[in-house]
């Protein structure tokens, strides 16, 4: 038993305060060390033991989040600390080995990688016009360089019948879209003429690595984004427009997020290696989620943050907007209205991954009123293909 005296007790409390501050700042390893020092000063205080155990849990959760995101070097640091504290934890040992293997692979790839100045996208070497279409091919065809509505309808029918699109036309579509998207700014302003409408879908899950804009503003009324808002007030639309989304992946070897933008009927995926300010904005746009309580809180995902109705209200006021529309979370009814009606989550993938049983939804804004009209729908049978089976391989060659 530690000797109980006022000096030890006072020192232990000082260490606990420092540990609590480190915990709030998500510095879990530092918090664990400080709680340990507090325990050494006064081991009879159960609060120190409980707080250290909770910090350990959060450290392991963060490590798992880093691992899931492909941020293997960060995950490795966390699991090394977990292993040090709990050497007999089999789950931590398993994840540590996974991280060690992934980091070794990254180091090998770095050792044989081509210098940045010499890198070239495979897409730059593809000329779809030189690809012959076999006479026996009976699927949808693009005549010339224009993708027509008739072609799209034919292609959809073919897909429903489990027929493949010829690679010439698949390359053509992706390359032409790539050229179109690279001309767009990181924030797109859409003005909807009277009598027309604007449709927002979210999380239908496709991937076009960093070409898609970060967000959209519709008729100076609503802000459309995949994840959510920011860790600081005062972010203006001009700050988002200044984001240069065309850059190389971070050193962890994966994109910052392979998420899908709640942006018209497009998708989003970013990779970033910017200043901390730009990285923060992009990360939060992609990963943040709303919370029912006011203020800001830690993210359940280990990245981004949770934000309350007051944060939403201030952002809208600062940018003279009325509504935030975002996705990023499965909703049983396909949508959810929160933050005093100032934020709508829309999720357009019904029965997500063939497991969730949720409805899908989309939102239609009709000019000039531009009020959100939410349409929900249920899943229908689809071909026997695993969800997201083709999400990575085909488009990876265009990065």
């Amino acid at each position: 038993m530690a000797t109980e005296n006022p000096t030890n007790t006072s020192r232990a409390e000082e260490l606990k305060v420092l540990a609590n501050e480190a915990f709030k700042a998500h510095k879990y390893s530092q918090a664990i060390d400080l709680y340990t020092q507090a325990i050494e000063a006064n081991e009879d205080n159960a609060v120190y033991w409980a707080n250290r155990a909770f910090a350990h849990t959060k450290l392991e959760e963060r490590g798992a989040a880093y691992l899931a995101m492909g941020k293997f070097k960060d995950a490795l640091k966390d699991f090394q600390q977990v292993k040090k504290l709990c050497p007999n934890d089999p789950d931590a040992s398993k994840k540590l080995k996974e991280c060690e293997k992934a980091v070794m692979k990254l180091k090998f790839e770095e050792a044989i990688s081509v210098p940045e100045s010499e890198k070239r996208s495979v897409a730059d070497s593809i000329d779809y016009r030189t690809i012959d279409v076999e006479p026996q091919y009976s699927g949808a065809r693009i005549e010339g360089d224009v993708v027509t509505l008739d072609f799209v309808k034919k292609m959809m029918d073919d897909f429903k019948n489990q027929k493949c699109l010829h690679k010439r036309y698949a390359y053509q579509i992706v390359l032409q879209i790539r050229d179109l998207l690279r001309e767009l700014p990181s924030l797109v302003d859409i003005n909807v003429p009277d009598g027309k409408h604007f449709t927002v879908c979210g999380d239908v899950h496709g991937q076009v690595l960093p070409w898609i804009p970060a967000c959209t503003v519709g008729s100076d009324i609503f802000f459309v984004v995949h994840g959510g808002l920011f860790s600081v007030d005062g972010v203006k639309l001009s700050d988002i427009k200044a984001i240069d989304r065309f850059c190389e992946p971070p050193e962890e070897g994966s994109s910052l997020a392979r998420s899908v933008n709640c942006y018209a009927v497009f998708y989003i995926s970013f990779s970033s290696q910017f200043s901390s300010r730009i990285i923060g904005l992009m990360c939060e746009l992609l990963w943040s989620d709303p919370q029912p309580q006011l203020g800001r809180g830690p993210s359940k995902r280990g990245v981004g943050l949770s934000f309350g109705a007051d944060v939403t209200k201030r952002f809208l006021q600062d940018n003279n907007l009325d509504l935030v529309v975002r996705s990023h979370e499965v909703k049983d009814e396909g949508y959810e209205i929160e933050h005093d009606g100032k934020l709508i989550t829309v999720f357009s993938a019904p029965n997500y991954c063939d497991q969730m049983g949720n409805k899908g939804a989309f939102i239609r804004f009709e000019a000039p009123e531009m009020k959100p009209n939410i349409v929900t729908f249920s899943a229908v049978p689809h071909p026997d293909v695993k969800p997201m089976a083709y999400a990575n391989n085909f488009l990876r060659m265009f990065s």
Side-chain angles (χ1 to χ4, degrees), residues 5-112:
N5 61 62
T7 302
N8 284 355
T9 301
S10 176
R11 177 57 180 162
E13 282 297 299
E14 290 175 0
L15 290 165
K16 184 191 77 169
V17 171
L18 294 174
N20 289 347
E21 292 175 353
F23 184 94
K24 291 177 182 178
H26 309 297
K27 298 177 180 178
Y28 302 120
S29 296
Q30 182 180 346
I32 291 170
D33 289 339
L34 289 166
Y35 286 131
T36 300
Q37 293 178 47
I39 291 170
E40 291 171 350
N42 182 12
E43 67 180 19
D44 294 328
N45 192 323
V47 171
Y48 307 155
W49 294 89
N51 286 3
R52 186 175 72 171
F54 188 47
H56 171 270
T57 300
K58 297 299 290 185
L59 181 65
E60 188 166 359
E61 287 178 354
R62 190 178 68 182
Y66 281 143
L67 185 62
M69 289 187 293
K71 303 181 75 171
F72 302 119
K73 292 182 180 178
D74 289 327
L76 181 62
K77 293 176 184 177
D78 283 349
F79 283 119
Q80 284 174 335
Q81 182 70 9
V82 171
K83 179 67 174 177
K84 178 181 178 182
L85 294 167
C86 298
N88 297 321
D89 184 336
D91 187 56
S93 297
K94 179 180 178 181
K95 290 185 171 66
L96 177 60
K97 288 181 180 179
E98 290 179 25
C99 290
E100 289 172 340
K101 289 180 180 178
V103 170
M104 288 181 65
K105 179 182 177 183
L106 286 176
K107 289 181 177 179
F108 176 74
E109 290 174 347
E110 290 170 1
I112 64 172

Side-chain angles (χ1 to χ4, degrees), residues 230-246:
F230 310 101
S231 57
V232 294
D233 291 331
V235 174
K236 298 296 183 67
L237 299 182
S238 57
D239 297 319
I240 301 171
K241 290 179 179 178
I243 293 174
D244 178 4
R245 65 189 187 276
F246 303 102

Side-chain angles (χ1 to χ4, degrees), residues 108-121 248:
F108 176 74
E109 290 174 347
E110 290 170 1
I112 64 172
S113 63
V114 178
E116 198 65 45
S117 60
E118 298 178 19
K119 286 186 177 179
R120 186 168 175 239
S121 170
E248 291 303 312

Side-chain angles (χ1 to χ4, degrees), residues 309-372:
D310 52 336
V311 177
T312 299
K313 181 179 179 181
R314 287 194 296 269
F315 173 78
L316 293 173
Q317 288 177 340
D318 288 344
N319 291 284
N320 197 28
L321 299 168
D322 290 340
L323 179 69
V324 172
V325 182
R326 44 89 62 181
S327 188
H328 199 32
E329 293 178 288
V330 178
K331 299 296 179 182
D332 288 342
E333 296 300 313
Y335 74 98
E336 184 175 358
I337 301 175
E338 304 173 77
H339 292 182
D340 303 318
K342 292 297 183 181
L343 182 144
I344 302 177
T345 296
V346 58
F347 196 87
S348 301
N351 192 24
Y352 182 53
C353 289
D354 288 347
Q355 297 181 25
M356 302 302 293
N358 61 290
K359 291 182 180 178
F362 61 86
I363 305 177
R364 179 169 289 168
F365 294 88
E366 297 186 6
E369 292 84 8
M370 299 301 285
K371 300 297 183 183

Side-chain angles (χ1 to χ4, degrees), residues 114-324:
V114 178
E116 198 65 45
S117 60
E118 298 178 19
K119 286 186 177 179
R120 186 168 175 239
S121 170
V122 174
D124 295 330
S125 65
I126 295 175
D127 183 358
Y128 63 85
R129 298 176 183 84
T130 65
I131 301 175
D132 294 328
V133 179
E134 297 78 7
Q136 63 269 29
Y137 174 72
S138 61
R141 293 174 179 261
I142 302 174
E143 302 298 335
D145 291 330
V146 179
V147 176
T148 65
L149 181 58
D150 287 340
F151 164 80
V152 173
K153 290 180 177 178
K154 168 64 173 169
M155 179 178 65
M156 292 172 64
D157 288 337
D158 287 347
F159 287 161
K160 290 176 182 178
N161 293 317
Q162 300 191 54
K163 293 183 179 179
C164 294
L165 179 67
H166 195 279
K167 64 180 180 181
R168 171 189 172 117
Y169 306 125
Y171 285 138
Q172 181 174 347
I173 291 170
V174 174
L175 290 169
Q176 289 183 339
I177 288 177
R178 179 175 178 260
D179 290 339
L180 290 171
L181 294 179
R182 75 196 313 171
E183 300 300 323
L184 293 175
S186 290
L187 185 149
V188 176
D189 287 296
I190 300 290
N191 288 310
V192 184
D194 289 355
K196 302 294 184 180
H197 66 265
F198 180 93
T199 301
V200 179
C201 303
D203 270 85
V204 285
H205 276 265
Q207 292 175 272
V208 192
L209 292 163
W211 301 102
I212 299 296
C215 45
T216 302
V217 171
S219 294
D220 297 321
I221 294 175
F222 53 89
F223 178 77
V224 187
V225 67
H226 174 68
L229 299 181
F230 310 101
S231 57
V232 294
D233 291 331
V235 174
K236 298 296 183 67
L237 299 182
S238 57
D239 297 319
I240 301 171
K241 290 179 179 178
I243 293 174
D244 178 4
R245 65 189 187 276
F246 303 102
C247 63
E248 291 303 312
E251 63 176 5
E252 285 77 8
S254 66
S255 61
L256 175 64
R258 290 191 174 100
S259 301
V260 185
N261 190 12
C262 171
Y263 165 67
V265 289
F266 293 104
Y267 316 103
I268 186 167
S269 173
F270 280 139
S271 45
S272 67
Q273 201 171 30
F274 305 141
S275 67
S276 58
R277 166 71 167 168
I278 295 302
I279 290 175
L281 291 181
M282 289 182 63
C283 183
E284 290 158 4
L285 284 168
L286 288 167
W287 286 94
S288 294
D289 296 292
Q291 65 181 19
Q293 62 268 32
L294 298 178
R296 296 177 171 91
S299 170
K300 61 189 177 185
R301 306 172 190 275
V303 63
L305 71 146
S306 296
F307 60 97
D310 52 336
V311 177
T312 299
K313 181 179 179 181
R314 287 194 296 269
F315 173 78
L316 293 173
Q317 288 177 340
D318 288 344
N319 291 284
N320 197 28
L321 299 168
D322 290 340
L323 179 69
V324 172

